[in-house]
Amino acid sequence: MTVALMWEARAADGRGEELLAWARGQVLAAAPLRREFFRAPQDRVLVITWWDAAYDAELPELPEPEGELVTRAVHRWRFEAVAPD
């Protein structure tokens, strides 16, 4: 089964590039099948990692950034791949 972990944070005003660099620099305890980075207006950063694992498997996730880099707690979601009809 393929599981996707989504991590989304909103940087403090004007610190979107810094948050993106911080996210790119995070080393996970294990390597995912794939990891992609996205940005959006309002200095938001999204990271999606794909894993060959059960839905409820214990998987490494990006942590909360320390300090005043973000304006709110990180949002996290977990999804499992669904076979096409």
Side-chain angles (χ1 to χ4, degrees):
M1 166 184 302
T2 301
V3 175
L5 301 183
M6 297 176 64
W7 177 100
E8 186 265 340
R10 184 172 176 189
D13 286 340
R15 297 183 71 183
E17 288 301 317
E18 185 180 349
L19 178 60
L20 179 58
W22 178 89
R24 284 184 167 165
Q26 297 304 299
V27 177
L28 299 173
L33 297 172
R34 190 166 92 211
R35 178 160 64 168
E36 291 189 49
F37 301 89
F38 301 86
R39 66 175 146 211
Q42 300 177 329
D43 290 322
R44 289 178 291 145
V45 173
L46 172 68
V47 181
I48 304 174
T49 55
W50 282 263
W51 304 87
D52 182 16
Y55 182 81
D56 59 354
E58 200 165 311
L59 298 168
E61 295 192 45
L62 292 174
E64 293 271 341
E66 293 182 7
E68 298 178 5
L69 183 56
V70 295
T71 60
R72 58 166 167 74
V74 169
H75 292 165
R76 300 170 194 274
W77 301 275
R78 183 177 287 224
F79 295 90
E80 64 182 316
V82 180
D85 288 338

